[in-house]
Amino acid sequence: MKENKILNKEQIEDKIKRISYEIYEENFDDKSIIICGIEKNGSIIAKRIIKELKSICNINIEFITIELDKQKPLNSIKTKSSKIKIKDKSIILIDDVSNTGKTLTYVIKELIKFEPKKINTAVLLNRDHTLFPIKINFIGLSLSTSIKSHIEVKLNDNHVGAYLT
């Protein structure tokens, strides 16, 4: 199957920088925020956003990684860094691609139990096929694609890009 490059390395870096500034603008009054990355690519993007945020502001940033089976999310959600207190803090939940909103919805369902101040969402690519009542607050790029299309984000050192197949 043919790959069409949607974003190259520099474009991804630009999107991450813009999302970081938007997150700061939304949370500049907070002393501390929690960045939550969904494994694997969401966590990689989250760490890059944290690095960018630390270069532009003095907000204390805590990081949580969320692991789940995206095919069977109900019983598979696990958090790393569980010593972080979520109650009354702002959370930014990050993933690489939002297809239907299902993954983000299931993770938010778990996070809401800890009584956060608010939860915002950020994705590098939003496919506009939302089937679940989720709002993406910070979007790198929105795409109108066919439901049969697949988007793959590659973020390893040798190969960085977003591809439509």
Side-chain angles (χ1 to χ4, degrees), residues 139-150:
I139 300 169
L141 180 67
S142 286
L143 295 171
S144 294
T145 61
S146 80
I147 197 74
K148 294 179 183 179
S149 298
H150 176 73

Side-chain angles (χ1 to χ4, degrees), residues 2-17:
K2 186 180 180 198
E3 288 184 338
N4 294 309
K5 187 177 269 191
I6 302 167
L7 296 171
N8 63 31
K9 180 179 181 178
E10 292 77 23
Q11 291 168 320
I12 289 173
E13 289 170 2
D14 288 345
K15 302 294 183 195
I16 288 172
K17 184 178 242 182

Side-chain angles (χ1 to χ4, degrees), residues 91-149:
I91 297 174
I92 296 85
L93 179 60
I94 300 172
D95 206 358
D96 57 347
V97 180
S98 176
N99 289 307
T100 63
K102 181 179 179 180
T103 299
L104 292 170
T105 301
Y106 282 120
V107 174
I108 288 171
K109 176 188 173 284
E110 286 300 308
L111 292 173
I112 205 87
K113 294 176 185 177
F114 299 101
E115 301 178 43
K117 176 180 170 183
K118 67 179 176 181
I119 301 174
N120 284 332
T121 56
V123 296
L124 183 62
L125 293 157
N126 182 24
R127 291 197 52 207
D128 295 329
H129 292 297
T130 305
L131 300 176
F132 289 77
I134 191 82
K135 177 185 177 197
I136 310 298
N137 303 96
F138 312 110
I139 300 169
L141 180 67
S142 286
L143 295 171
S144 294
T145 61
S146 80
I147 197 74
K148 294 179 183 179
S149 298

